[in-house]
Amino acid sequence: MSIYQLSKQELSARVGHMAQIAGIKRYTMKEGKKGGTDAVDMWNGRGLYLTVVCDRASDIASLTYQGKSLCWLSNLGISSPAYRMKGDFEWNNNFSGGMFATCGLNTAGLPSLDDGEHLELHGPISNLPSEEIGYRTYWKGDDYFMEYEGRTYQSRPFGENLCLTRTITLKMGENVVRVHDRVENLGFKRIPFMIIYHMNFGYPLLDTGSSLYLNYEERFPTSRLAADSVGEIGRITEPDEEYAARAYNHIVRPDGDGYGCASILNPGLGLGATVKFDAGELDHFNLWKCLQRSSYVVGMEPCNCRTWGRDKERENRHLTCLEPFEARELYFEIQIHDGAEEIERAAGRYTEAL
């Protein structure tokens, strides 16, 4: 009998501590740019293991399954937010990659000048530390859960006062990472609200045998290069130093339950991943491809905006705003597919690969 079919009592009779199977732990990293950075590890007892970086808005810095990485890490590695610098594109210089980096909260995408405010690439939230951190394990009937929660405040005098409350949940034996975010305007001013979940899928999941899938209504290439290569949007080639990054914004086509889906599937490896997200709030999706040597990554990014900057969002009447004390609830999950049957079932959600 599988350990996931055992009752609470049956499993408790076989282990001294549940961390033997599944668990959660908090610690502080040492050395280099990650020195002093607070983190939490979570594992589900079935080979899924992730690291939450508390000091980087509680983003997930790494996600592995049975020893195989699902995400891309930049050559910077995990880095403290203390190394963030000011400048239009300085966000890139403290970009660790990882499973996802949150972009926002009052701007995301390209730098811009909007409403008299100079806005930098992707906003400040991913370089802000979380606080009021809590984590626990608990039984619910015969199901065992690991849960993390942290709050990140993006606040400044005479400016925005926003709070991101993030909850990350694993269930023992289930290969799904669930992320629930609540973004609340704690101030008395109406504040623009833009958010992009900059998800970074990498080797070995990303390789020449991988296929990309997305259900969408409309596509908007973000450059001439992207427009000229739209026919190859789903083609994954060998790492190439001459490959220039390109991106494509999309309007999501939700399923009957109101969810958007995007997948990366590698039948040769027998592994895949799907990002499932609430399309009521996350009604856009950005696909970013960078197949350079060392920077071999595909970004699959649920969002509530396009990546052209806040000024363009406002000009085109796409800009979302939070009224004083208004909150928005956002949800997404990362599903892991293990083996040919699960990969085939995941591909069945789509009419065809990109």
Side-chain angles (χ1 to χ4, degrees):
M1 179 182 290
S2 166
I3 64 171
Y4 316 115
Q5 297 173 304
L6 296 176
S7 68
K8 176 182 178 180
Q9 289 189 355
E10 289 170 329
L11 187 56
S12 297
R14 288 163 167 79
V15 302
H17 193 289
M18 278 302 297
Q20 181 177 334
I21 306 296
I24 186 168
K25 68 177 180 183
R26 185 176 179 180
Y27 58 97
T28 301
M29 299 180 183
K30 293 187 176 182
E31 300 182 336
K33 287 190 171 183
K34 63 181 177 292
T37 301
D38 198 17
V40 166
D41 286 352
M42 304 169 70
W43 61 100
N44 77 337
R46 198 173 173 179
L48 192 154
Y49 200 101
L50 64 85
T51 297
V52 182
V53 180
C54 312
D55 288 344
R56 300 290 300 265
S58 298
D59 288 341
I60 296 179
S62 69
L63 179 63
T64 62
Y65 178 69
Q66 295 185 353
K68 302 180 185 70
S69 179
L70 302 177
C71 61
W72 169 78
L73 301 177
S74 80
N75 56 11
L76 179 67
I78 294 174
S79 177
S80 164
Y83 293 95
R84 177 198 178 208
M85 305 292 286
K86 286 285 189 179
D88 279 356
F89 290 93
E90 281 293 332
W91 188 89
N92 286 329
N93 292 329
N94 207 34
F95 177 43
S96 298
M99 191 61 259
F100 69 84
T102 309
C103 305
L105 294 169
N106 65 335
T107 186
L110 291 173
S112 66
L113 180 64
D114 177 62
D115 198 26
E117 189 174 3
H118 189 179
L119 303 160
E120 299 175 3
L121 177 71
H122 286 327
I125 191 67
S126 71
N127 281 286
L128 296 176
S130 298
E131 51 191 278
E132 302 176 56
I133 292 165
Y135 57 100
R136 62 174 180 149
T137 59
Y138 62 94
W139 287 95
K140 187 174 182 180
D142 288 325
D143 294 323
Y144 190 66
F145 292 88
M146 289 62 66
E147 183 179 86
Y148 168 93
E149 184 176 280
R151 290 188 175 89
T152 309
Y153 293 89
Q154 182 182 322
S155 305
R156 57 194 175 103
F158 314 111
E160 71 274 12
N161 187 12
L162 302 172
C163 177
L164 166 65
T165 301
R166 172 163 293 160
T167 305
I168 301 172
T169 307
L170 296 184
K171 178 182 174 182
M172 184 182 71
E174 185 179 57
N175 289 329
V176 180
V177 181
R178 292 182 170 84
V179 180
H180 175 264
D181 281 354
R182 175 183 171 88
V183 178
E184 185 175 6
N185 181 2
L186 300 176
F188 290 89
K189 296 180 179 179
R190 187 172 188 259
I191 300 295
F193 171 45
M194 298 173 67
I195 192 165
I196 299 172
Y197 294 101
H198 201 302
M199 298 191 178
N200 308 288
F201 289 92
Y203 182 83
L205 176 60
L206 176 69
D207 209 348
T208 53
S210 303
S211 296
L212 307 179
Y213 298 81
L214 171 68
N215 288 328
Y216 68 96
E217 296 288 354
E218 294 183 71
R219 173 181 291 152
F220 307 96
T222 62
S223 65
R224 175 62 63 86
L225 173 63
D228 290 346
S229 59
V230 72
E232 301 179 355
I233 186 171
R235 184 179 173 220
I236 307 301
T237 56
E238 295 280 348
D240 180 0
E241 187 64 25
E242 302 304 315
Y243 190 96
R246 61 209 66 179
Y248 308 83
N249 295 159
H250 299 81
I251 295 177
V252 173
R253 180 193 303 155
D255 63 18
D257 296 320
Y259 288 97
C261 283
S263 297
I264 175 170
L265 307 176
N266 188 330
L269 189 63
L271 188 63
T274 292
V275 182
K276 178 182 176 182
F277 51 96
D278 181 356
E281 290 290 346
L282 302 170
D283 56 348
H284 286 66
F285 188 92
N286 183 52
L287 180 68
W288 170 63
K289 286 180 66 182
C290 186
L291 302 181
Q292 297 174 12
R293 288 184 292 183
S294 184
S295 297
Y296 192 65
V297 52
V298 166
M300 301 176 70
E301 306 170 2
C303 45
N304 74 343
C305 58
R306 290 174 63 175
T307 59
W308 51 7
R310 199 174 85 184
D311 56 344
K312 298 293 192 302
E313 286 287 280
R314 191 186 297 275
E315 289 170 14
N316 287 272
R317 299 182 180 180
H318 293 152
L319 184 62
T320 298
C321 290
L322 290 175
E323 300 296 336
F325 300 98
E326 182 185 5
R328 297 291 182 96
E329 309 283 340
L330 305 105
Y331 175 81
F332 67 89
E333 59 188 50
I334 304 169
Q335 305 170 348
I336 313 305
H337 310 301
D338 183 358
E341 185 176 334
E342 291 189 15
I343 289 173
E344 184 177 356
R345 190 181 306 121
R349 294 172 169 173
Y350 310 92
T351 53
E352 60 182 355
L354 291 175

